[in-house]
Amino acid sequence: MNNKSYVKNNIVYPYTEVTQNIRVSVNTNYLSDQSEPDKNLWLWSYHILIENLNKSSVKLIDRHWKITDCTGYIQEVKGEGVIGKQPNIDPNNYFEYSSGTPLRTSSGFMTGSYGMKWHNNEYFKINIPTFSLDLPSSNKIIN
């Protein structure tokens, strides 16, 4: 469930969700200088913060993204780790990274999950909060 904005290290994360006492927070940015609307290409970056609020360490094993554009077209991305890493996250510590995604329309949203392992190698999944990819000038409609 999305909560109110969360702030850490002077970054505002408008999207945040806690699963298994692990908080995943997301901040997005439209990359106007790299987008080419006349070629149906809109690019966004996103910054992810994963905080381990548990008393034991966890390891990020894999990811599964669903990226949906405003026409309803869904692209799925699955793979090991994130940005080529499978980080261990110690108790009361965090891991953060930035990545990006293209869309063929001017707006959409992303959602997904991370596969994790506890220190005893038990596998589990945590939610990535659903977040919107909207042009800064667009009106956001919340249902």
Side-chain angles (χ1 to χ4, degrees):
M1 172 164 159
N2 289 348
N3 299 322
K4 293 182 179 179
S5 293
Y6 176 70
V7 179
K8 180 153 181 125
N9 298 334
N10 294 319
I11 298 174
V12 176
Y13 295 92
Y15 309 95
T16 188
E17 186 166 345
V18 178
T19 311
Q20 295 279 344
N21 222 20
I22 298 170
R23 180 178 17 238
V24 178
S25 303
V26 184
N27 174 293
T28 63
N29 186 37
Y30 173 61
L31 303 174
S32 61
D33 59 328
Q34 296 176 40
S35 295
E36 297 182 61
D38 56 327
K39 295 181 180 176
N40 294 324
L41 178 64
W42 288 265
L43 296 172
W44 278 266
S45 67
Y46 54 88
H47 187 79
I48 305 279
L49 173 69
I50 305 168
E51 296 175 280
N52 182 3
L53 308 173
N54 291 284
K55 293 183 180 179
S56 58
S57 62
V58 295
K59 181 175 185 170
L60 192 153
I61 301 299
D62 56 42
R63 72 195 181 288
H64 179 195
W65 286 107
K66 289 185 180 181
I67 307 162
T68 307
D69 70 20
C70 68
T71 68
Y73 173 77
I74 299 173
Q75 177 185 356
E76 291 196 54
V77 178
K78 296 179 181 181
E80 289 187 4
V82 293
I83 62 166
K85 298 178 181 179
Q86 290 181 313
N88 285 304
I89 308 171
D90 291 329
N92 298 309
N93 210 333
Y94 63 92
F95 174 77
E96 58 187 328
Y97 73 97
S98 294
S99 190
T101 192
L103 282 183
R104 58 185 194 163
T105 62
S106 63
S107 66
F109 63 91
M110 290 178 65
T111 192
S113 62
Y114 293 122
M116 310 288 285
K117 281 190 178 177
W118 294 111
H119 66 286
N120 65 2
N121 282 330
E122 179 186 343
Y123 184 85
F124 65 101
K125 290 193 176 234
I126 61 171
N127 297 327
I128 301 168
T130 300
F131 56 94
S132 65
L133 302 168
D134 293 310
L135 298 177
S137 61
S138 69
N139 292 328
K140 293 179 177 68
I141 299 172
I142 300 174
N143 293 327

